[in-house]
Amino acid sequence: MNLRLDNLLKQVEKPARYIGGEYNIAIKEPESVKTRFVFAFPDLYEIGMSYMGLQILYHNLNKEEDIYCERAFAPAGDMEKLLRENHIPLYTLETKTPIKDVDFFGFTLQYEMSFTTILNMLELAQIPLLAKDRGEEYPIIIAGGPCAYNPEPLADFVDIFLIGDGEKSLPELMKKYGEAKERGLTKEEFYKEIAGETGIYIPAFYDVFYNEDGTIKAYEKNFEGAPDKVERCIIEDIEEIDFPTSPIVPIIETVHDRAVMETFRGCTRGCRFCQAGMIYRPVRERSKEKIMNLAMEQLANTGHEELSLLSLSTSDYSQFEPLAIELMQECKKRHVSLSLPSLRLDTFSFNVLEEIQGYKKSGLTFAPEAGTQRLRDVINKGITEKDIYDAVEQAIELGWKHIKLYFMIGLPTETYEDLDGIAEIARNIVSIHRNSGKGGRFNVTVSVSNFVPKAHTPFQWEAQDRTEEFTKKHDYLREKLSIKSVTFNYHDDAVSTYEAVFARGDRKLGKLLLEAHKQGCKLDSWSEYFDLEKWQKAIELSGTDIAFYTTRQRGFDEILPWDIVDSSVSKKFLMSEAKKAVEEKTTHDCRYGCVGCGINRRVECKLGGIYE
């Protein structure tokens, strides 16, 4: 394989994407292990190698003597063309083994618009796309990650879905397979043995029946050993879970080229549009001492010149102030820059930012999400305009010259007055700078994304705006934001529509995915690859009614495609939050008392204090 690749790699734009051999990779003799697993990220190398989850699972699998985890990424167009022309199957980076010859081909599902890329990678690996067409000679296809919480659009293609924390469930699954292989079990016999394990969903063990209107009538098990609902796997305490201190160091620049340390998992804030805030509950923290030790080890073992903390809301960490102070001191000693994303912009955070950014002062980011207090209450954002303006005044006083604002349009109950509020906030921030007497260049960037209803959130029943309505709102905002010193950015409207189709889709979408793949759709999160004409043709040929998945309001009594998965946040709580949204009522942060989300049925939530 290496000889065949040598000539090909001279012809592509970035050959280092395809050669492996990076610092800290796992090197094993494939013949000495029981189970071979390929971690596949359905996007380019630069994106996949920036994903911390890859490093965590790679480390946790490869520390097991009998398991070998290797990697694969989607090739760019030039490399794909050469692979096809030369009949070279997609291979692993570590050993250049054709993926079709390993035991497991596992995909992480971070974004719905990667689904066509998964099919393309299967085809490039010379593996049949449909699960029903794959015999014993092919790898088992598995998938996990946030999009696996609605596994149904990929049910025709994936053999096993892993729901929840993978550090525990994935190595256990690999070990069980190694034992099953030694016993000579068939794939189906193996599936039946593991079907009842926490976090494992095997689509083939369920039949779906539909009503005349296209909604789901019932899920019926065709194997008695399968669970009625699949509970997500939850690691109750992440303190002792292995975190990689010798992660792979890429040999080309990646999107996030730095050391990363996870401080805690989960979120307590309860934004009603946010899937991560629901499916990663409860909050589980690492101790400050553990974080410091792991972070310093990682810097020593990688040579990275930047350290970033990873969490959904960095400054919500219970020991954030002493941690930030100690990290700043240690990073200064090592001449390493420190990045603290997702900060609550209070006095301490500003002092931290002043300390770590100094005179450079890159842009400050705020995420009001909505333009009026009414709509921020609907989505349970938990910040006021006073919070925003007080923080901006402090930032300008300290010398910041660039403010970034993130908003979402198409939110439930949104009116054009809410869009006017976005422009008003931007205008007022420009005025605050003008009145500050600071002078000099000043810029406000307003970035707008489109609301996409997600499974397992209070807004999972909501209708999405039509593509044309998103475009109309963007045009309206462009005019309103024609303000000196304000820059306006927004997301592609059609992409958001297709994202929503798959975010809340059912098994019938397998037909659309197959047709989109035939039309050549892949890498659809990249604007240069997304082709609206191909998607429209796929919709026409597959007979898919996309309005059924996007602009249709669902009822609380409807069986939803993802109801087969129990995220451990109760449907009763999600319904209650959906009703409170319509009433414009907020729910407090659960650090200040339990809000009754249901997670305590499964694990102890240590931060709420009062349990339901």
Side-chain angles (χ1 to χ4, degrees):
M1 178 68 85
N2 281 318
L3 289 172
R4 297 181 74 191
L5 288 173
D6 277 350
N7 185 46
L8 265 59
L9 293 173
K10 294 169 186 172
Q11 303 174 53
V12 299
E13 181 189 9
K14 291 185 180 179
R17 287 168 169 163
Y18 314 108
I19 61 175
E22 305 98 319
Y23 190 59
N24 289 336
I25 64 167
I27 300 171
K28 297 186 180 184
E29 288 296 330
E31 299 78 19
S32 69
V33 301
K34 292 180 181 177
T35 308
R36 295 186 69 183
F37 174 85
V38 176
F39 188 109
F41 197 99
D43 210 319
L44 301 183
Y45 177 93
E46 298 94 307
I47 305 295
M49 284 304 297
S50 300
Y51 171 52
M52 191 66 221
L54 182 156
Q55 303 275 15
I56 292 171
L57 293 175
Y58 186 87
H59 167 73
N60 276 277
L61 286 166
N62 280 316
K63 72 176 184 178
E64 301 290 341
E65 192 177 313
D66 291 332
I67 301 168
Y68 193 8
C69 175
E70 302 179 61
R71 294 163 298 142
F73 302 93
D78 55 356
M79 183 62 169
E80 178 181 337
K81 183 172 181 287
L82 291 170
L83 289 175
R84 290 185 184 277
E85 287 175 353
N86 290 273
H87 307 290
I88 296 175
L90 196 62
Y91 56 87
T92 69
L93 290 190
E94 277 70 8
T95 62
K96 310 300 181 294
T97 301
I99 293 170
K100 62 182 177 178
D101 295 336
V102 304
D103 298 307
F104 285 87
F105 195 10
F107 292 90
T108 181
L109 309 179
Q110 297 297 312
Y111 182 42
E112 290 83 359
M113 296 310 290
S114 71
F115 289 0
T116 51
T117 307
I118 291 171
L119 269 59
N120 196 51
M121 289 177 74
L122 285 171
E123 185 174 270
L124 288 170
Q126 299 173 8
I127 296 170
L129 304 186
L130 293 167
K132 66 182 178 63
D133 295 337
R134 293 193 289 268
E136 296 292 328
E137 70 274 27
Y138 291 106
I140 294 170
I141 309 303
I142 69 173
C147 296
Y149 280 79
N150 177 22
E152 292 304 276
L154 288 170
D156 289 344
F157 313 101
V158 174
D159 300 307
I160 303 171
F161 287 93
L162 289 188
I163 315 295
D165 295 323
E167 298 105 313
K168 181 180 177 183
S169 58
L170 187 54
E172 285 180 359
L173 180 65
M174 297 299 104
K175 288 177 190 174
K176 282 173 182 162
Y177 177 78
E179 293 164 5
K181 191 163 69 168
E182 285 184 334
R183 286 155 50 205
L185 266 58
T186 63
K187 282 184 184 178
E188 187 172 0
E189 288 168 339
F190 172 63
Y191 297 160
K192 286 181 176 178
E193 279 204 353
I194 62 168
E197 299 289 332
T198 303
I200 288 181
Y201 174 55
I202 300 172
F205 289 158
Y206 300 84
D207 296 315
V208 187
F209 298 91
Y210 298 90
N211 297 307
E212 285 185 15
D213 64 359
T215 58
I216 293 171
K217 184 176 183 179
Y219 272 88
E220 288 187 11
K221 296 187 293 184
N222 55 47
F223 169 59
E224 194 53 42
D228 294 329
K229 273 197 168 191
V230 177
E231 283 191 335
R232 70 178 254 233
C233 178
I234 304 176
I235 295 172
E236 294 189 40
D237 184 0
I238 65 167
E239 177 76 357
E240 297 308 319
I241 290 293
D242 255 5
F243 191 85
T245 54
S246 296
I248 303 166
V249 181
I251 49 180
I252 59 171
E253 187 176 351
T254 57
V255 174
H256 299 303
D257 200 3
R258 58 198 182 194
V260 179
M261 184 62 231
E262 182 190 42
T263 53
F264 68 92
R265 201 168 294 182
C267 185
T268 59
R269 293 186 170 266
C271 297
R272 291 171 179 142
F273 59 84
C274 181
Q275 187 184 53
M278 296 293 161
I279 64 175
Y280 293 133
R281 293 185 178 207
V283 166
R284 292 147 288 164
E285 294 190 342
R286 284 188 170 88
S287 67
K288 181 176 78 70
E289 293 70 29
K290 188 84 169 180
I291 292 167
M292 288 301 305
N293 290 338
L294 291 172
M296 294 309 111
E297 278 186 54
Q298 196 179 137
L299 288 173
N301 293 335
T302 60
H304 279 302
E305 296 175 345
E306 181 182 353
L307 171 68
S308 177
L309 296 188
L310 175 70
S311 67
L312 292 174
S313 183
T314 304
S315 49
D316 281 346
Y317 178 65
S318 62
Q319 298 182 74
F320 175 64
E321 292 193 20
L323 174 65
I325 290 166
E326 194 169 342
L327 276 174
M328 284 192 294
Q329 293 168 346
E330 291 299 324
C331 286
K332 274 188 175 178
K333 286 181 196 172
R334 292 165 170 77
H335 306 289
V336 169
S337 61
L338 179 63
S339 171
L340 300 174
S342 307
L343 290 185
R344 181 176 58 246
L345 291 171
D346 53 18
T347 301
F348 175 76
S349 293
F350 274 112
N351 291 338
V352 170
L353 288 169
E354 178 80 1
E355 183 76 21
I356 64 177
Q357 292 194 5
Y359 67 90
K360 292 182 182 178
K361 289 191 171 59
S362 58
L364 266 189
T365 300
F366 300 82
E369 306 293 0
T372 63
Q373 193 57 49
R374 182 200 71 80
L375 192 52
R376 285 192 292 276
D377 289 345
V378 167
I379 65 177
N380 205 44
K381 181 61 186 174
I383 62 167
T384 64
E385 283 189 13
K386 185 178 186 305
D387 295 330
I388 299 166
Y389 296 139
D390 284 353
V392 166
E393 284 179 3
Q394 197 170 353
I396 290 171
E397 186 63 30
L398 290 169
W400 265 271
K401 299 290 187 183
H402 184 199
I403 304 292
K404 303 173 190 174
L405 300 171
Y406 286 101
F407 293 94
M408 199 176 286
I409 65 167
L411 288 161
T413 79
E414 181 183 75
T415 67
Y416 275 74
E417 286 181 9
D418 299 307
L419 302 185
D420 292 340
I422 293 174
E424 185 181 350
I425 290 172
R427 190 178 296 108
N428 288 342
I429 290 174
V430 172
S431 295
I432 289 170
H433 176 260
R434 188 183 307 119
N435 297 332
S436 71
K438 288 287 181 181
R441 295 185 65 180
F442 181 75
N443 179 255
V444 177
T445 298
V446 175
S447 292
V448 169
S449 62
N450 301 323
F451 168 64
V452 177
K454 297 282 184 172
H456 303 285
T457 69
F459 288 163
Q460 65 182 355
W461 294 278
E462 295 294 332
Q464 187 190 41
D465 278 356
R466 291 179 299 109
T467 307
E468 297 77 16
E469 186 63 31
F470 279 134
T471 303
K472 183 180 172 186
K473 288 178 178 179
H474 286 142
D475 291 343
Y476 182 84
L477 275 171
R478 190 185 297 107
E479 186 176 332
K480 288 284 180 179
L481 287 164
S482 295
I483 304 165
K484 188 180 179 183
S485 302
V486 174
T487 305
F488 177 43
N489 298 325
Y490 56 91
H491 287 203
D492 187 288
D493 301 327
V495 171
S496 297
T497 298
Y498 290 107
E499 181 185 344
V501 169
F502 293 108
R504 295 190 296 174
D506 53 29
R507 285 194 190 190
K508 290 180 286 186
L509 288 180
K511 192 175 179 184
L512 172 58
L513 274 174
L514 267 179
E515 197 54 59
H517 170 69
K518 287 176 186 172
Q519 297 302 318
C521 297
K522 62 195 169 194
L523 295 171
D524 289 301
S525 59
W526 295 78
S527 56
E528 57 262 51
Y529 281 96
F530 180 78
D531 190 323
L532 184 56
E533 285 186 16
K534 289 178 181 177
W535 274 103
Q536 288 173 333
K537 190 170 182 183
I539 284 166
E540 181 187 341
L541 292 172
S542 64
T544 304
D545 176 11
I546 64 167
F548 178 81
Y549 300 101
T550 55
T551 58
R552 180 176 67 87
Q553 182 81 25
R554 290 148 175 76
F556 287 151
D557 57 347
E558 182 177 330
I559 297 174
L560 303 170
W562 53 93
D563 281 347
I564 194 68
V565 172
D566 180 2
S567 73
S568 297
V569 171
S570 72
K571 206 169 182 183
K572 178 184 174 184
F573 172 74
L574 297 180
M575 287 180 185
S576 169
E577 287 294 292
K579 290 171 184 172
K580 286 174 80 171
V582 174
E583 296 164 1
E584 300 171 14
K585 291 180 179 177
T586 59
T587 299
H588 63 258
D589 185 320
C590 66
R591 285 175 186 266
Y592 307 114
C594 184
V595 297
C597 75
I599 196 72
N600 288 312
R601 292 177 296 121
R602 291 281 316 281
V603 294
E604 182 184 349
C605 184
K606 297 177 180 177
L607 296 173
I610 306 164
Y611 303 141
E612 57 178 327

